C-alpha cells in the first residue's frame, strides 16, 4: 500500500484542546506520506476526534460517526478511525455497538494515529486499537495549524486536578501535566515564524499552569518568557479559574501590552451552596473580589464567564441569586450551560436532580439577561474607533470580518467592516463602529 495514494479526512469535535490533538495527528499523517483532504466525500479514510464532555457533545460525536458510516456504505469510504474523549471514555461500548468503526485510538495514543490509519488500508480482520496510559502522553509536538493565518491555540498543560463534581474530564484526560516553559516557548517561536498574530493560551485550567512541575503558579513567568522570545502581538488567556488569579498575574496583564485585556473566567455559579456542591474552589466573596480587582487594575478588561444552571439541588433562590449577579456584574461576555448528568462523576448520584424543562427555562432566562448586558456594552462602542485584527473577506456580506481584543476567536462576536482599500488577512487596522447588533459590530475603516 502506497500511502501517497490515500487521502485522509478529519472531523474534529469539541474544545480547542481537542483541536490541538487533531493538529498533532495531522502532522504525523503528513510526515508519514498521507494526503489530507478537507472534503469528506473525497477521503479514503476519515478520522473523527470526538468529545464526551456532556451529553450533547456525546450525541454529536455519535451522530458524526453514523453520518460518516453512511459514506462508508454508499461512497466507497474504506474506513473510520475514532479517537478523542468519546473513544477514551467509552472504548468497549463504542467497539461493540458500532461495528462501522474500523480503529480506535485513546487520548494517550494519538502518536499511533499512523498505525491506526495503516490498519484501515491493510483490511485486517482484527480492528486496530491503542489505549496507552494517558498520564504518560508526550505533550506538545509539531502540528498543522488549522485555524487560519491569524491565530493559533497554544496548549500549555493537559488534564486537571480540580475534581469538580459535575466534570468527567479528570477521568478522561487524567491529572494535571504541565509542559515546561522551554518546550512551550519553542512552539510559540515556531508559530511566530509562521506569522501568527494571536496566541490563545489554553489548558483545562490555565491559571494553575506549572504547579505540578514547578511547585508554583507559573503562568505569569510563562507569559513573560513567550513575550521575551516572540513578537506575536496578541496573547489571550482562556480558562482561568477565579481562585488562581494572583496579583502577579493581574500585574503582568496590566503592564504587558501584548497580553490582551481579556480573560476567560468560568464561575459556574454564585450561590455558595451550589459552589460547595460543585466542589468549586473559592466562594461568592472570592469571585466578586477577583472580578473587582481585575476591573480596578485593568479598567478596560473584558471578562468572559460561564455558569451552569439546573445543577442538582439548585433552588429557585439559588437561581435568582445567580440571575441577579449576572445582571449586576455585567460580564462583557458570558455563556451558560444546562447541567448534564454524567456517569462516573460525583454529582451523578446527588439527590434533587432538576428536570430538563426547568433547566431549559432557567437557561433561557439567564441568557436573556446577558443579551441585555451585551447589547448595552456594544452600544457604548457606537461611534468609537476600535483596533481590529482582520480575518478575511466575506463575499456573502461583501464585507471584511475581524475581531477586537474584546472577542476571542470562535466563541465571541465579530466586527464586520468595509474598506476603500484592500485589507489583508492578519492585518491590524482601526475601524469606526457605525452599527451594533446583539453580539457583533459593524464599522468602516478609518482613513
Amino acid at each position: 500500500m502506497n500511502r501517497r495514494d490515500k487521502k485522509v479526512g478529519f472531523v474534529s469535535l469539541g474544545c480547542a484542546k481537542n483541536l490541538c490533538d487533531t493538529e498533532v495527528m495531522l502532522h504525523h499523517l503528513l510526515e508519514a506520506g498521507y494526503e489530507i483532504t478537507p472534503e469528506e466525500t473525497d477521503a479514503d479514510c476519515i478520522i473523527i476526534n470526538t468529545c464526551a464532555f456532556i451529553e450533547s457533545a456525546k450525541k454529536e460525536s455519535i451522530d458524526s460517526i453514523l453520518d460518516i458510516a453512511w459514506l462508508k456504505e454508499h461512497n466507497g469510504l474504506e474506513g473510520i478511525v475514532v479517537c478523542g474523549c468519546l473513544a477514551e471514555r467509552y472504548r468497549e461500548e463504542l467497539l461493540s455497538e458500532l461495528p462501522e468503526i474500523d480503529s480506535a485510538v485513546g487520548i494517550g495514543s494519538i502518536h499511533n494515529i499512523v498505525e491506526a490509519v495503516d490498519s484501515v488500508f491493510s483490511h485486517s480482520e482484527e480492528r486496530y486499537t491503542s489505549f496507552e496510559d494517558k498520564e504518560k502522553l508526550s505533550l506538545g509536538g509539531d502540528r498543522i495549524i488549522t485555524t487560519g493565518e491569524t491565530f493559533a491555540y497554544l496548549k500549555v498543560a493537559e488534564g486537571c486536578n480540580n475534581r469538580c463534581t459535575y466534570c468527567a474530564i479528570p477521568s478522561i484526560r487524567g491529572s494535571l501535566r504541565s509542559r515546561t516553559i522551554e518546550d512551550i516557548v519553542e512552539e510559540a517561536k515556531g508559530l511566530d515564524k509562521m506569522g501568527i498574530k494571536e496566541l490563545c493560551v489554553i489548558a483545562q485550567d490555565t491559571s494553575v499552569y506549572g504547579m505540578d512541575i514547578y511547585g508554583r503558579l507559573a503562568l505569569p513567568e510563562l507569559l513573560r518568557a513567550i513575550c521575551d522570545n516572540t513578537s506575536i502581538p496578541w496573547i489571550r488567556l482562556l480558562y482561568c479559574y477565579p481562585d488562581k488569579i494572583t496579583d502577579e498575574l493581574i500585574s503582568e496583564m496590566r503592564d504587558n501590552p501584548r497580553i490582551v485585556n481579556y480573560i476567560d473566567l468560568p464561575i459556574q455559579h454564585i450561590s455558595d451552596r451550589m459552589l460547595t456542591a460543585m466542589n468549586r474552589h473559592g466562594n461568592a466573596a472570592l469571585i466578586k473580589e477577583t472580578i473587582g480587582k481585575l476591573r480596578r487594575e485593568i479598567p478596560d478588561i473584558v471578562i468572559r464567564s460561564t455558569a451552569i444552571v439546573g445543577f442538582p439541588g439548585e433552588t429557585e433562590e439559588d437561581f435568582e441569586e445567580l440571575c441577579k449577579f449576572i445582571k449586576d456584574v455585567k460580564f462583557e461576555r458570558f455563556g451558560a450551560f444546562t447541567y448534564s448528568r454524567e456517569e462516573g462523576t460525583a454529582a451523578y448520584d446527588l439527590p434533587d436532580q432538576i428536570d430538563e424543562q426547568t433547566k431549559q427555562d432557567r437557561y433561557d432566562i439567564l441568557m436573556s439577561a446577558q443579551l441585555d448586558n451585551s447589547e448595552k456594552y456594544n452600544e457604548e462602542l457606537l461611534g468609537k474607533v476600535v483596533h481590529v485584527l482582520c480575518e478575511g473577506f466575506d463575499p456573502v456580506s461583501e464585507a471584511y470580518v475581524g475581531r477586537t481584543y474584546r472577542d476571542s476567536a470562535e466563541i465571541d462576536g465579530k466586527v464586520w467592516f468595509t474598506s476603500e482599500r484592500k485589507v489583508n488577512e492578519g492585518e491590524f487596522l482601526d475601524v469606526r463602529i457605525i452599527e451594533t447588533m446583539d453580539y457583533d459590530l459593524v464599522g468602516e475603516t478609518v482613513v
Side-chain angles (χ1 to χ4, degrees):
M1 185 267 294
N2 186 346
R3 288 171 176 162
R4 298 193 183 279
D5 294 334
K6 298 296 185 179
K7 296 180 180 180
V8 179
F10 259 90
V11 176
S12 191
L13 304 173
C15 66
K17 283 88 70 179
N18 216 35
L19 180 62
C20 289
D21 291 346
T22 292
E23 293 175 339
V24 169
M25 289 187 282
L26 281 168
H27 174 80
H28 283 310
L29 290 163
L30 284 171
E31 284 287 294
Y34 281 110
E35 180 182 345
I36 305 298
T37 176
E39 300 296 332
E40 294 174 1
T41 55
D42 196 35
D44 300 301
C45 173
I46 292 179
I47 299 167
I48 308 172
N49 196 7
T50 59
C51 178
F53 179 49
I54 56 177
E55 190 62 36
S56 59
K58 289 185 285 187
K59 183 179 185 304
E60 181 185 23
S61 294
I62 292 171
D63 287 346
S64 294
I65 294 170
L66 296 176
D67 287 345
I68 298 302
W70 186 92
L71 293 177
K72 189 176 176 184
E73 183 178 353
H74 297 91
N75 201 62
L77 182 72
E78 292 187 51
I80 299 171
V81 178
V82 175
C83 53
C85 292
L86 192 75
E88 181 70 31
R89 189 177 182 186
Y90 299 105
R91 61 185 76 170
E92 294 177 1
E93 294 92 331
L94 277 179
L95 293 172
S96 63
E97 296 178 17
L98 292 175
E100 298 90 346
I101 298 173
D102 298 281
S103 180
V105 174
I107 296 295
S109 299
I110 61 174
H111 56 284
N112 292 332
I113 193 62
V114 173
E115 289 81 354
V117 174
D118 283 348
S119 74
V120 168
F121 296 125
S122 71
H123 301 290
S124 170
E125 292 185 6
E126 185 174 346
R127 285 191 285 191
Y128 176 91
T129 61
S130 180
F131 292 93
E132 296 182 16
D133 185 357
K134 53 182 172 283
E135 299 283 352
K136 297 179 181 178
L137 171 65
S138 177
L139 302 178
D142 294 332
R143 57 195 177 106
I144 304 300
I145 303 302
T146 62
T147 48
E149 300 177 8
T150 58
F151 84 98
Y153 294 107
L154 183 64
K155 184 159 67 167
V156 301
E158 183 59 274
C160 185
N161 292 344
N162 288 334
R163 301 299 191 271
C164 300
T165 59
Y166 53 80
C167 184
I169 290 299
S171 64
I172 299 172
R173 289 200 167 260
S175 57
L176 172 69
R177 285 105 66 210
S178 299
R179 299 169 60 188
T180 65
I181 290 176
E182 293 77 14
D183 183 38
I184 296 168
V185 166
E186 281 304 306
E187 182 173 353
K189 286 163 67 175
L191 295 169
D192 190 16
K193 289 179 182 177
M194 291 173 55
I196 293 296
K197 298 298 190 296
E198 177 183 352
L199 281 184
C200 293
V201 180
I202 59 172
Q204 297 298 333
D205 176 358
T206 306
S207 49
V208 80
Y209 167 78
M211 181 59 76
D212 56 319
I213 57 174
Y214 299 124
R216 62 184 184 275
L217 299 175
L219 184 56
E221 184 180 346
L222 172 64
L223 295 173
R224 286 191 292 271
I226 292 173
C227 289
D228 287 345
N229 289 278
T230 73
S231 60
I232 297 172
W234 279 3
I235 299 171
R236 186 182 303 274
L237 297 180
L238 302 181
Y239 318 125
C240 293
Y241 284 38
D243 62 301
K244 303 296 191 306
I245 306 302
T246 62
D247 290 345
E248 183 185 7
L249 178 59
I250 293 175
S251 296
E252 189 65 30
M253 293 182 67
R254 179 194 63 208
D255 300 336
N256 189 332
R258 288 166 56 197
I259 302 173
V260 298
N261 292 341
Y262 177 109
I263 191 166
D264 182 287
L265 194 76
I267 62 165
Q268 308 308 17
H269 219 285
I270 200 62
S271 159
D272 281 338
R273 209 174 66 82
M274 288 292 95
L275 291 170
T276 298
M278 292 177 177
N279 195 34
R280 296 290 292 181
H281 299 174
N283 54 21
L286 182 143
I287 291 171
K288 293 172 183 178
E289 179 185 353
T290 299
I291 293 170
K293 188 179 293 185
L294 283 165
R295 286 179 166 168
R296 285 193 305 273
E297 294 294 322
I298 312 170
D300 61 344
I301 194 167
V302 167
I303 301 176
R304 176 178 179 83
S305 193
T306 54
I308 297 171
V309 296
F311 188 82
E314 182 187 54
T315 64
E316 285 294 335
E317 290 75 18
D318 294 323
F319 177 66
E320 286 301 323
E321 184 178 354
L322 177 60
C323 277
K324 184 177 186 306
F325 179 73
I326 295 305
K327 291 175 182 177
D328 292 344
V329 76
K330 294 180 172 58
F331 284 122
E332 290 80 8
R333 305 287 181 257
F334 177 80
F337 299 91
T338 59
Y339 167 72
S340 178
R341 190 181 185 190
E342 296 299 317
E343 60 269 30
T345 64
Y348 184 83
D349 293 321
L350 286 178
D352 302 319
Q353 297 283 332
I354 308 295
D355 67 88
E356 294 301 320
Q357 186 59 56
T358 300
K359 292 179 191 177
Q360 187 61 47
D361 291 344
R362 290 178 180 178
Y363 170 87
D364 292 340
I365 292 169
L366 200 60
M367 291 310 298
S368 177
Q370 178 57 28
L371 179 58
D372 291 340
N373 291 340
S374 296
E375 288 176 339
K376 290 173 183 175
Y377 179 70
N378 278 354
E379 287 169 3
E380 292 175 359
L381 296 173
L382 196 60
K384 294 184 178 178
V385 175
V386 297
H387 203 50
V388 171
L389 171 60
C390 179
E391 294 185 304
F393 183 80
D394 177 45
V396 175
S397 62
E398 297 185 334
Y400 290 97
V401 61
R403 293 179 289 111
T404 72
Y405 81 88
R406 299 169 177 84
D407 297 292
S408 183
E410 302 184 322
I411 54 175
D412 292 328
K414 294 184 179 294
V415 179
W416 304 86
F417 64 95
T418 57
S419 174
E420 294 181 1
R421 66 170 179 85
K422 183 183 180 200
V423 180
N424 296 315
E425 183 177 353
E427 181 180 347
F428 287 93
L429 68 163
D430 290 332
V431 173
R432 188 180 306 281
I433 302 305
I434 60 174
E435 184 182 344
T436 65
M437 294 185 278
D438 290 346
Y439 298 105
D440 293 345
L441 300 170
V442 178
E444 55 191 14
T445 54
V446 177
V447 180

